[in-house]
Amino acid sequence: MGSLPSSSRPSENFLCNYHICVVFCPREPTSSGCVTNWIELFNPSINTWTDVGSIPGLMDDQVLKGFSMVFLRDSIYIIGGQVCHKERVHVSDDIADWVDVGVQVVPTVLRYDFQSSQWSSCAPLGVARYDFACTVCEDKIYVAGGKSMLASARGISSAEVYDPNTDTWTTLPNLRILRYKCVGVTWQGKVHVIGGFAEREDSDRTVPSLVERSSGEVYNTKEEKWDLKVGMWQLDVPPNQIVEVNETLLSSGDCLNAWKGQVEAFDGKLWNEVDGSRKQSLSTLEANQRLYLTMAPIRSELYFLAGYGTVGGQEAGRTTSVVHIFDTSATGDAWRSFEPMEVEGERELCGHCCVVQLS
């Protein structure tokens, strides 16, 4: 489809204000049984990670998954999610693995202020939820869909909006379709909820229709309703992430395969491959060694934060952290990568990252 609308490459001085916030947890409990989440900031101007600390309110053997994290007014907000603990299960006679077992779906909303380096509790969600859509629009936080009960077979249609000025959540009209693992993104000044495992509330189908799963919904502020948009996603599997860059929606994969081999852009009707974005592997390491992948937009660039496990040898049980950058405005070679870094222990991603702008 060609290059996207151009914007100059961020300078190092410009990038110094931007960081990427990520929440990790160990793939398996430590010797003391600890699995708690921790937060790190990646500084793209100098390729360094800084530890922010742990998410408060969790026990040492608990981890938060399925939450949403957004940045608004010098703070990150950790919204909702599912509290889990790790259990070791046997996948075969001689192979065992650790899995997340849900304990509770929570409505909690936590705020971390980067200016004061302090955590505080905000007004809770009206409906506890996890695996939901979330986005910031006009200085307010919108959430929609998700699941409200452990091991539920269906999503929910509930939606609400948070006003940081009054620390209140206001109920919005329901989505037109039940959805979970849907993606929230602000595009063209409007809140969009895209894809997900979706079905109509009155559906008696054993297998939900692809029409629902490939649809999106846009919040109509004037009429205070959700408008259904057919064909905003073209796969039966929900999107992994969708971000906006220079007024264009971009995606790189689905929730089963975070990297499909290229970046794709939505032209209002179809998703098309972005010229120069094809990259079979995001590292010289094998894809089946990848522990996590998440992406974040900064100006015209997409940052892909990947972690790879080490198989066998003396370095087993470590994670190689690699950051790859795709410049959407480049006309030549659009990819570059930072030097890989080794970190102790195998880590996993607990939720998608967000971009933080520090003054």
Side-chain angles (χ1 to χ4, degrees), residues 78-138:
I78 306 288
I79 304 165
Q82 178 182 200
V83 176
C84 306
H85 70 265
K86 297 271 188 180
E87 281 190 8
R88 192 169 178 83
V89 298
H90 288 276
V91 295
S92 66
D93 291 340
D94 57 347
I95 299 177
D97 201 0
W98 292 92
V99 298
D100 297 320
V101 177
V103 175
Q104 181 186 8
V105 183
V106 295
T108 52
V109 179
L110 299 170
R111 173 177 173 255
Y112 180 80
D113 187 327
F114 284 99
Q115 298 299 319
S116 64
S117 300
Q118 296 292 319
W119 285 97
S120 59
S121 295
C122 301
L125 290 163
V127 176
R129 66 184 78 214
Y130 68 101
D131 287 348
F132 56 94
C134 181
T135 188
V136 173
C137 184
E138 296 181 347

Side-chain angles (χ1 to χ4, degrees), residues 13 83 88 115 156 167 185 202 205 216 232 245 273 276 313 335:
N13 290 336
V83 176
R88 192 169 178 83
Q115 298 299 319
I156 60 176
D167 186 31
V185 62
D202 58 357
R205 293 173 178 264
M232 283 207 75
V245 174
E273 180 178 339
W335 286 98

Side-chain angles (χ1 to χ4, degrees), residues 25-299:
C25 73
R27 289 195 73 196
E28 59 184 65
T30 63
S31 57
S32 63
C34 181
V35 293
T36 303
N37 312 74
W38 72 89
I39 301 173
E40 293 188 24
L41 282 182
F42 175 73
N43 185 336
S45 65
I46 53 177
N47 186 31
T48 60
W49 291 89
T50 303
D51 183 32
V52 174
S54 301
I55 295 177
L58 295 169
M59 298 176 64
D60 285 347
D61 64 344
Q62 293 180 340
V63 64
L64 191 65
K65 295 287 187 75
F67 60 87
S68 286
M69 179 171 62
V70 297
F71 177 74
L72 178 62
R73 297 182 184 176
D74 295 325
S75 299
I76 56 167
Y77 290 79
I78 306 288
I79 304 165
Q82 178 182 200
V83 176
C84 306
H85 70 265
K86 297 271 188 180
E87 281 190 8
R88 192 169 178 83
V89 298
H90 288 276
V91 295
S92 66
D93 291 340
D94 57 347
I95 299 177
D97 201 0
W98 292 92
V99 298
D100 297 320
V101 177
V103 175
Q104 181 186 8
V105 183
V106 295
T108 52
V109 179
L110 299 170
R111 173 177 173 255
Y112 180 80
D113 187 327
F114 284 99
Q115 298 299 319
S116 64
S117 300
Q118 296 292 319
W119 285 97
S120 59
S121 295
C122 301
L125 290 163
V127 176
R129 66 184 78 214
Y130 68 101
D131 287 348
F132 56 94
C134 181
T135 188
V136 173
C137 184
E138 296 181 347
D139 277 347
K140 294 181 179 180
I141 302 172
Y142 288 77
V143 302
K147 286 186 176 184
S148 60
M149 295 183 295
L150 294 172
S152 173
R154 308 181 86 188
I156 60 176
S157 58
S158 163
E160 45 193 312
V161 59
Y162 177 77
D163 187 342
N165 293 320
T166 59
D167 186 31
T168 55
W169 288 92
T170 301
T171 301
L172 295 174
N174 285 354
L175 296 169
R176 296 176 62 174
I177 291 175
L178 305 175
R179 300 176 185 270
Y180 70 95
K181 283 197 175 295
C182 42
V183 172
V185 62
T186 298
W187 184 45
Q188 299 177 342
K190 296 180 180 180
V191 173
H192 289 68
V193 175
I194 302 174
F197 292 113
E199 60 182 306
R200 296 187 183 276
E201 193 162 7
D202 58 357
S203 174
D204 58 359
R205 293 173 178 264
T206 303
V207 179
S209 168
L210 178 59
V211 173
E212 279 79 39
R213 291 193 174 183
S214 63
S215 68
E217 301 190 44
V218 184
Y219 185 61
N220 187 323
T221 55
K222 292 183 179 179
E223 298 185 17
E224 296 185 340
K225 68 173 186 177
W226 293 90
D227 295 328
L228 189 66
K229 301 293 183 182
V230 176
M232 283 207 75
W233 184 245
Q234 292 166 217
L235 300 174
D236 187 36
V237 179
N240 184 48
Q241 287 178 270
I242 296 175
V243 299
E244 184 270 339
V245 174
N246 295 332
E247 301 182 355
T248 301
L249 294 183
L250 300 178
S251 172
S252 69
D254 55 53
C255 67
L256 298 181
N257 186 1
W259 178 248
K260 302 285 283 189
Q262 69 277 333
V263 176
E264 294 187 344
F266 186 63
D267 65 5
K269 294 183 179 180
L270 298 172
W271 288 88
N272 302 289
E273 180 178 339
V274 177
D275 288 350
S277 70
R278 182 167 291 275
K279 192 176 180 68
Q280 287 306 116
S281 174
L282 287 184
S283 170
T284 55
L285 299 170
E286 293 296 325
N288 60 10
Q289 292 176 234
R290 192 169 65 228
L291 303 175
Y292 62 83
L293 178 69
T294 185
M295 69 174 177
I298 298 179
R299 216 172 187 179

